């Protein structure tokens, strides 16, 4: 179990991050770096140095760090992303890059490398992806050939964050015993970086290909000192690392939404501010805030479970990243629209945020890879429990306070169970697209349950101490009701669409329990809740501190 930072220390870190980046990267410099596609390496190193020491939050205490947990990391990553997602990527790359050591290294390796991160602020990179393999780590072609005293590595890595500025890199290569991680230091003969990529977004991060031409690596730099553990070591951290990228999507999306909210308070059209127009707020603001907060609920719940030592939670990490990255990307797109012509220009920053947050749907597993990951795991759960997995979740959610929209969230989960059962009966998951669409519906259904639990915890005062508290209990309950309605409608209607769409005969599959009519009726009161949430967002209703 990981206790992590105390609340006061976390708050100080979040405040210090904001102050430091505001001073080091004023908007004018940020836009210049974005235009010139330059990583501010000096700023990244200062952040990991004595001036700020952000790296200490990610390193265990026994190796010189502060021992932050998954919850702390999520809050820090969200804050970094709100400041600049490229900068956030550069900082986080060190902890992604050193994760194979943290989770698979020997004690001596941890003391050596994690100790250097804590004390010297060295930067790391994570050398896994290859030009031909993409997200398929099992298809790697980089080889590690045993020689006297160590190995010779040959191959190429692609899309490596911190690729040409990192002091060290964990590289995945195929050894005789199977995929294995090796630690390479910058400047090693034969180990070089290409010119940084000219990217669509996160242009303040350094991304470069790595070349390994007969690079000698001492045997002591084989992570764990045992070959063939590389994929297992990588899998062990997906739940955590994807949760952090989820926090990036959350932070980027919220920054875009907040800019749109501020803009609409001042922008007057037809004699009144845009903030007063339901057609503006209910299309471009409220739905995106709701989806972001649904993602937050799942992120926070998963972070608590990770810190409690429940395992790697790879599927939960995939759900969190899928929800937050898609919501963040959509919120940023809406923010451009919300600014009108100004949103299409660089000084208003939402154009840059949109380009930046787009990567969160790609790196650390594309949304499509995540849909497949989610669907495969929950499909197995459906089969093992003979169809009761999501029905059981529905019963648990239904017991929550009614003001959280628990009954509607339970309806969404029950409908999900019915869709899954129809797919089983019709053997429809042989269609890859059906399987991917199930991944999306599963994410929505489980998020509705998670958000209802979060709203219930807010109502009874049991939210984690370090939880985000932008919304008070009553407002959060409204957020939960809005999302539960969306999830119930989405699962009932789209579930039916793909089950029927995969059926090629005139015999319609059974839809016992889909309850589409109930999903329609559950929409009653939706506009009133959207009005309420808009009033909260614009300060027209003070529900933030209501009991």
């Amino acid at each position: 179990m990981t206790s992590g930072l105390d609340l006061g220390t976390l708050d100080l870190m979040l405040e210090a991050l904001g102050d430091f980046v505001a001073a080091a990267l004023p908007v004018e410099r940020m836009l210049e770096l974005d235009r010139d596609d330059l990583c501010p390496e000096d700023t990244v190193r200062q952040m990991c140095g004595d001036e700020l020491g952000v790296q200490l939050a990610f390193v265990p205490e026994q190796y010189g760090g502060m021992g932050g947990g998954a919850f702390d990391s999520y809050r820090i990553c969200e804050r970094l992303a709100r400041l600049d997602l490229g900068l956030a990527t550069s900082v986080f790359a060190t902890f992604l890059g050193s994760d194979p050591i943290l989770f698979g290294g020997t004690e001596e390796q941890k003391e050596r490398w994690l100790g250097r991160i804590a004390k010297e602020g060295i930067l790391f990179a994570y050398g896994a992806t290859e030009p031909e393999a993409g997200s398929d780590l099992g298809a790697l072609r980089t080889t590690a050939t045993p020689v006297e005293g160590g190995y010779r590595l040959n191959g190429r890595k692609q899309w490596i964050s911190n690729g040409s500025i990192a002091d060290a890199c964990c590289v995945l290569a195929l050894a005789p015993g199977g995929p294995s991680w090796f630690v390479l230091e910058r400047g090693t003969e034969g180990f070089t970086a290409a010119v940084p990529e000219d990217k669509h977004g996160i242009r303040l991060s350094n991304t470069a290909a790595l070349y390994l031409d007969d690079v000698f690596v001492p045997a002591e730099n084989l992570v764990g000192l045992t070959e063939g553990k590389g994929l297992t070591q990588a899998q062990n951290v997906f739940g955590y690392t994807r949760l952090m990228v989820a926090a990036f999507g959350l932070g980027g999306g919220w920054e875009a939404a907040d800019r749109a909210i501020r803009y609409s308070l001042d922008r007057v059209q037809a004699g009144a501010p845009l903030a007063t127009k339901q057609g503006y707020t209910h299309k471009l603001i409220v739905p995106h805030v709701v989806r972001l907060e649904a993602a937050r609920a799942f992120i926070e719940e998963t972070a608590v479970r990770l810190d409690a030592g429940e395992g790697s939670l790879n599927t939960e990490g995939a759900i969190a990243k899928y929800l937050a990255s898609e919501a963040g990307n959509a919120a940023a797109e809406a923010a451009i629209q919300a600014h009108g012509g100004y949103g299409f220009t660089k000084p208003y920053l939402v154009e840059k945020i949109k380009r930046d947050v787009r990567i969160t749907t790609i790196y650390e597993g594309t949304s499509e890879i995540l849909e497949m990951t989610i669907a495969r795991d929950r499909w197995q759960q459906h089969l093992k429990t003979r169809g009761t997995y999501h029905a059981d979740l529905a019963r648990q959610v239904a017991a929550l306070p009614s003001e959280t929209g628990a009954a509607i969230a339970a309806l969404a989960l029950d409908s999900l169970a019915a869709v899954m059962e129809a797919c089983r009966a019709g053997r429809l998951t042989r269609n890859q697209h059906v399987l991917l669409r199930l991944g999306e519906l599963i994410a929505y259904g489980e998020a509705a349950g998670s958000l209802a639990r979060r709203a219930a915890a807010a109502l009874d005062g049991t939210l984690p101490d370090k939880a985000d508290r932008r919304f008070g209990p009553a407002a959060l309950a409204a957020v939960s009701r809005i999302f539960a309605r969306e999830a119930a409608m989405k699962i009932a209607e789209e579930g039916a669409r793909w089950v029927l769409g995969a059926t090629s005969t005139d015999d319609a599959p059974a839809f016992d329990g889909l309850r589409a009519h109930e999903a329609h009726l559950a929409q009653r009161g939706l506009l009133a809740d959207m009005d309420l949430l808009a009033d909260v967002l614009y300060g027209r209703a003070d529900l933030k501190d209501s009991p």
Side-chain angles (χ1 to χ4, degrees), residues 16-341:
L17 275 171
D19 292 343
F20 182 91
V21 174
L25 288 178
V27 172
E28 294 78 9
R29 185 181 182 221
M30 190 180 293
L31 288 172
E32 288 175 3
L33 292 167
D34 179 73
R35 180 197 64 207
D36 297 336
D37 196 17
L38 290 175
C39 170
E41 182 181 351
D42 56 340
T43 301
V44 176
R45 291 191 178 277
Q46 288 167 3
M47 292 176 72
C48 297
D50 294 337
E51 290 188 57
L52 186 62
V54 67
Q55 84 282 10
L56 298 175
F58 297 87
V59 178
E61 290 182 89
Q62 60 266 43
Y63 309 116
M66 298 168 65
F71 211 104
D72 303 308
S73 297
Y74 129 67
R75 293 297 309 277
I76 291 170
C77 284
E78 181 191 2
R79 182 66 172 141
L80 282 168
R82 291 199 64 143
L83 298 168
D84 182 84
L85 218 154
L87 187 68
T89 298
S90 293
V91 172
F92 184 64
T94 286
F95 311 105
L96 174 62
S98 60
D99 273 344
I101 300 169
L102 177 61
F103 290 94
T106 65
E107 192 61 28
E108 183 179 353
Q109 289 171 337
K110 293 176 185 178
E111 289 178 359
R112 177 184 178 187
W113 297 107
L114 300 180
R116 288 190 63 189
I117 291 172
K119 295 166 188 166
E120 302 173 31
I122 66 170
L123 305 182
F124 252 81
Y126 185 79
T129 305
E130 297 188 357
E132 303 300 323
S135 297
D136 185 3
L137 296 185
L140 77 162
R141 297 183 180 179
T142 300
T143 58
T145 304
V147 296
E148 185 178 353
Y151 297 81
R152 292 282 179 185
L153 270 59
N154 286 278
R156 178 180 174 181
K157 297 296 179 179
Q158 189 76 31
W159 318 122
I160 308 304
S161 297
N162 285 358
S164 56
I165 66 171
D167 302 296
C169 179
C170 276
V171 172
L172 187 65
L174 187 61
S180 308
W181 290 100
F182 298 86
V183 185
L184 275 69
E185 293 194 71
R186 187 178 183 179
T188 301
E189 185 177 356
F191 182 40
T192 57
V195 174
E197 304 286 354
D198 186 3
K199 303 187 298 297
H200 172 68
I202 58 167
R203 291 167 68 86
L204 272 68
S205 71
N206 173 276
T207 308
L210 299 177
Y211 301 107
L212 300 103
D213 298 309
D214 214 28
V215 180
F216 175 75
V217 183
E220 66 194 43
N221 284 22
L222 166 63
V223 175
L225 302 182
T226 303
E227 294 179 6
K229 303 289 187 182
L231 295 186
T232 300
Q233 291 161 350
Q235 288 286 339
N236 284 340
V237 302
F238 274 156
Y240 173 82
T241 57
R242 285 174 173 166
L243 199 70
M244 299 311 110
V245 177
F248 285 173
L250 182 66
W254 254 118
E255 181 63 22
D258 272 333
R259 286 178 177 274
I261 289 169
R262 292 195 295 269
Y263 175 81
S264 64
L265 285 166
D266 297 327
R267 177 66 168 167
V268 174
Q269 280 196 343
L274 287 171
T276 65
K277 300 180 184 297
Q278 193 184 67
Y280 178 96
T281 59
H282 289 29
K283 178 184 179 183
L284 301 176
I285 305 296
V286 170
H288 300 286
V289 165
V290 168
R291 291 174 199 139
L292 287 167
E293 287 306 297
R296 184 190 301 281
F298 208 92
I299 289 170
E300 291 199 349
E301 195 168 64
T302 303
V304 168
R305 294 177 62 191
L306 283 170
D307 286 340
E310 288 192 30
S312 58
L313 300 181
N314 287 345
T315 302
E316 286 74 12
I319 292 173
K321 180 186 177 301
Y322 179 75
L323 290 165
S325 62
E326 291 291 329
N329 189 49
E333 178 73 26
I336 292 177
Q337 192 75 9
H339 281 75

Side-chain angles (χ1 to χ4, degrees), residues 339-483:
H339 281 75
Y342 293 108
F344 211 60
T345 64
K346 295 185 183 299
Y348 281 76
L349 287 185
V350 289
E351 177 270 345
K352 176 183 176 299
I353 293 170
K354 175 63 176 70
R355 285 187 289 106
D356 287 347
V357 79
R358 183 68 178 81
I359 192 61
T360 65
T361 69
I362 297 174
Y363 64 8
E364 275 303 283
T366 66
S367 289
E368 293 69 34
I369 289 287
L370 300 182
E371 286 175 345
M372 183 64 74
T373 298
I374 296 162
R376 282 177 171 169
D377 179 78
R378 295 309 195 239
W379 182 248
Q380 290 303 312
Q381 295 295 330
H382 182 81
L383 297 179
K384 287 178 183 177
T385 61
R386 298 188 178 184
T388 66
Y389 183 79
H390 286 107
D392 289 342
L393 288 180
R395 281 193 291 274
Q396 295 166 18
V397 171
L400 297 172
S402 60
E403 56 264 52
T404 67
I408 307 174
L411 172 63
L413 288 163
D414 268 331
S415 295
L416 179 60
V419 171
M420 302 271 283
E421 184 58 21
C423 288
R424 185 202 63 78
R427 303 178 68 187
L428 303 183
T429 56
R430 292 176 296 178
N431 299 281
Q432 188 185 60
H433 188 61
V434 169
L435 197 60
L436 264 64
R437 298 284 49 80
L438 283 179
E440 179 184 21
L441 299 183
I442 291 163
Y444 266 73
E446 295 195 20
S450 181
L451 184 51
R453 287 189 292 272
R454 189 171 196 269
L459 287 167
D460 64 20
T462 58
L463 278 176
D465 289 342
K466 291 182 280 191
D468 177 85
R469 282 178 166 76
R470 176 167 184 152
F471 296 109
L476 192 56
V479 171
S480 182
R481 294 193 297 270
I482 294 169
F483 187 79

